[in-house]
Amino acid sequence: MSFPKAHQPLVPLTGGKLILGTVALSLAVFMNVLDSSIANVSIPAISGDLGVSPQQGTWVITSFAVANAISVPLTGWLTQRFGQVRLFITSIILFILSSMLCGLAPSMEVLVAARVLQGAVAGPMIPLSQSLLLASYKPSKSGMALAFWGMTTLVAPITGPLLGGWISDNYTWPWIFYINIPIGLFAAWATWSIYASRETATRVLPIDAIGLGLLVVWVGSLQIMLDKGKELDWFNSGQIVILGVTAVVGFIYFVIWELGSKHPVVDLSLFQTRNFSGGVVAISVGYGLFFGSLVILPLWLQTQLGYTATLAGEVMAPVGIFAIILSPIIGKILPRVDARWVASAAFFIFAVVFFMRAAFTQNVDTMTLMIPTVIQGGAMAMFFIPLTSIILSGQPPEKIPAAAGLSNFIRIMFGGIGTSITSTFWDRRTALHYSQLSEHSGPHNPAFTAAVDGLTAQGMSAQSAYATIDRLMTVDASTRGATDIFWISAILFLGLIGLVWLTKPIRSGAPVDGGGAH
């Protein structure tokens, strides 16, 4: 496979090539994002088949996340060294091979090693898909390009758990990895067919071994701390304390070293631009809040309200309806409006959605659950596209892979942080509400006594009556804890609107130029 060097300006694609290129890049992203969530619901099946505990089985998720988090910010450096197209296709091929290794793994140790490889090679795929897609469209159509890209990143996290559960129930767990093979082969072939002649210029760069080592240390420590913190009771655990200190010290040394390095593995100078800094913070915090709700909402439905995994997935699935319908529309109108207005509308709708969820009770019906989920799809369509436009605005073409890689890395990291904080806060608020409810239970409370008498009158023993009331209190406390999180999230989303307006105004279509001269 040979790639001509492209030192000449790249012209936008048209016709069938543009359609096929968009489909190929989107499929690669879909495959990547899908694999970050598809294994979640299959952990019991995987751990049981390989003879390990479910706790050990979670390393299937953790290993992928750690390796992926480390490799994403390296995209800029790797692109300069090997070229966008070469790196992207190599990532797809290695992802296919590592998926095969995952499916064939005879033990948990081999599976974890294969997932590490899979996460590492997956890192450059998402930012490079953004860069290649932007170079395929006219600058005035960059909003539409990002809309097509955004649709896959919105649908895949929802499809993953549904598809993973269905495969685990009807086939065997290795097929959650084998399904990547046909998707990846098509994406690699189509990408090579169209983009081989559009390779970017490369230059030999020295390896910043110290910067890379520090990146591995602090990101790896932080990711493991986030994944294991709740299980080990956070900073009451010496292991978590060590991981936290290592992450902080490693991060400080990493920043100092990278700012002084002539050839850094991560280009921190990108933060000198107001739009990159403001846009990255806004999209990362917003994604963390959104992702946290994606975790606790189905858990609350299953553990407290008696929903099955499939039914909980069906409640969450409608979020993709408006997202898919509105994304192309937003992409089309974005070049004609200020992206900050669209992003502000997204955060406002997110706030409305979470205020609606803050009114949920333990007796909430399915329709009431689904209404804010459907509305949230509209917010998601207006969330990724304008903020990505703001982040990449004004960046020269050669810096877009680095900017996309760094912004995606921070966004993904905040997703993990949001998940950890949300789940821990939910547990603690639930415990607080349960304690407060317990203070009003017992023989001294007439309402409690009346409830016990009513249940015993129906034929229950006193012990069963107490257990029933305790269960009702647990569900009520858990519901109140969840609604506390929804209410706080709504307030934070409103606060993010102010952050959006700290960025400079842009007309989304013009500045985001991924297809200029290299």
Side-chain angles (χ1 to χ4, degrees):
M1 190 183 297
S2 61
F3 298 86
K5 293 183 178 179
H7 296 280
Q8 70 279 6
L10 294 176
V11 296
L13 297 174
T14 56
K17 282 191 173 183
L18 181 61
I19 295 172
L20 185 60
T22 301
V23 170
L25 296 174
S26 299
L27 277 176
V29 173
F30 181 83
M31 174 181 69
N32 185 326
V33 180
L34 183 74
D35 241 60
S36 64
S37 62
I38 195 171
N40 294 20
V41 295
S42 305
I43 293 302
I46 294 173
S47 55
D49 190 45
L50 297 181
V52 299
S53 68
Q55 287 73 27
Q56 289 173 297
T58 59
W59 279 101
V60 173
I61 302 168
T62 304
S63 55
F64 180 92
V66 171
N68 190 250
I70 291 169
S71 64
V72 169
L74 298 176
T75 302
W77 184 87
L78 290 170
T79 298
Q80 292 185 72
R81 181 66 181 81
F82 300 106
Q84 287 188 40
V85 182
R86 186 180 292 109
L87 178 60
F88 187 76
I89 293 178
T90 301
S91 293
I92 295 176
I93 293 172
L94 291 176
F95 192 86
I96 296 169
L97 294 174
S98 58
S99 296
M100 292 176 61
L101 292 175
C102 287
L104 295 170
S107 66
M108 180 55 69
E109 292 77 13
V110 175
L111 178 57
V112 169
R115 284 285 279 177
V116 169
L117 175 62
Q118 191 183 42
V121 301
M125 287 167 60
I126 290 179
L128 284 181
S129 67
Q130 286 180 315
S131 181
L132 289 169
L133 205 57
L134 286 170
S136 303
Y137 284 73
K138 296 177 181 178
S140 60
K141 298 290 185 182
S142 62
M144 185 62 70
L146 292 173
F148 288 129
W149 179 88
M151 286 168 63
T152 57
T153 60
L154 296 175
V155 175
I158 300 158
T159 307
L162 288 171
L163 187 59
W166 184 80
I167 290 174
S168 296
D169 289 341
N170 295 279
Y171 294 95
T172 55
W173 64 263
W175 282 98
I176 68 175
F177 301 111
Y178 292 152
I179 61 171
N180 293 329
I181 297 173
I183 297 173
L185 287 173
F186 174 79
W189 167 80
T191 304
W192 175 76
S193 300
I194 294 169
Y195 292 96
S197 61
R198 299 169 65 85
E199 183 60 280
T200 56
T202 60
R203 58 193 181 113
V204 178
L205 296 172
I207 298 175
D208 179 13
I210 295 178
L212 179 59
L214 289 170
L215 178 70
V216 170
V217 168
W218 82 263
V219 173
S221 299
L222 176 64
Q223 191 69 46
I224 295 172
M225 183 187 80
L226 293 173
D227 286 342
K228 297 297 178 183
K230 183 180 173 183
E231 177 186 326
L232 300 176
D233 196 22
W234 289 103
F235 294 103
N236 291 319
S237 163
Q239 183 179 340
I240 295 299
V241 170
I242 292 172
L243 286 169
V245 171
T246 303
V248 170
V249 173
F251 173 73
I252 292 171
Y253 275 96
F254 171 77
V255 171
I256 294 171
W257 178 266
E258 291 297 275
L259 290 175
S261 175
K262 290 183 178 179
H263 302 286
V265 290
V266 179
D267 187 4
L268 298 180
S269 68
L270 291 164
F271 284 103
Q272 292 175 353
T273 61
R274 197 166 80 193
N275 278 19
F276 183 85
S277 299
V280 165
V281 174
I283 199 171
S284 299
V285 175
Y287 185 75
L289 294 171
F290 159 71
F291 211 74
S293 73
L294 273 187
V295 173
I296 69 161
L297 194 54
L299 274 178
W300 172 61
L301 293 175
Q302 292 176 71
T303 61
Q304 305 303 323
L305 302 192
Y307 279 64
T308 64
T310 302
L311 286 175
E314 290 175 358
V315 169
M316 301 298 294
V319 76
I321 296 174
F322 269 167
I324 294 172
I325 294 172
L326 291 179
S327 287
I329 298 173
I330 297 298
K332 190 171 183 178
I333 68 171
L334 203 53
R336 299 193 292 271
V337 299
D338 189 332
R340 297 178 300 176
W341 283 109
V342 184
S344 297
F347 286 135
F348 179 77
I349 296 173
F350 269 128
V352 170
V353 165
F354 278 83
F355 276 129
M356 293 173 69
R357 287 175 174 161
F360 285 170
T361 67
Q362 57 186 312
N363 299 315
V364 64
D365 60 88
T366 302
M367 183 59 67
T368 304
L369 286 168
M370 294 178 72
I371 289 172
T373 303
V374 172
I375 296 172
Q376 183 173 275
M380 292 169 66
M382 293 185 280
F383 171 65
F384 280 104
I385 304 167
L387 286 172
T388 302
S389 296
I390 290 172
I391 289 168
L392 300 181
S393 63
Q395 298 292 346
E398 66 273 9
K399 281 206 168 190
I400 284 182
L406 186 53
S407 64
N408 275 286
F409 159 68
I410 297 172
R411 177 180 60 81
I412 293 168
M413 187 173 65
F414 267 75
I417 293 171
T419 300
S420 297
I421 292 176
T422 300
S423 57
T424 301
F425 188 71
W426 184 34
D427 282 351
R428 295 185 177 177
R429 293 299 296 179
T430 298
L432 174 65
H433 286 299
Y434 182 84
S435 176
Q436 292 173 341
L437 290 170
S438 298
E439 292 175 1
H440 301 288
S441 64
H444 60 278
N445 188 312
F448 178 84
T449 304
V452 173
D453 291 342
L455 291 171
T456 54
Q458 296 175 24
M460 281 190 183
S461 65
Q463 186 176 4
S464 297
Y466 281 122
T468 300
I469 293 174
D470 181 73
R471 172 60 184 166
L472 291 172
M473 288 168 53
T474 300
V475 173
D476 190 22
S478 178
T479 301
R480 294 186 186 194
T483 55
D484 286 346
I485 292 171
F486 297 146
W487 189 86
I488 293 170
S489 297
I491 297 296
L492 292 174
F493 272 120
L494 290 176
L496 288 174
I497 294 175
L499 189 61
V500 170
W501 288 91
L502 293 178
T503 61
K504 296 178 181 179
I506 65 163
R507 293 286 174 178
S508 303
V512 184
D513 181 5
H518 292 272

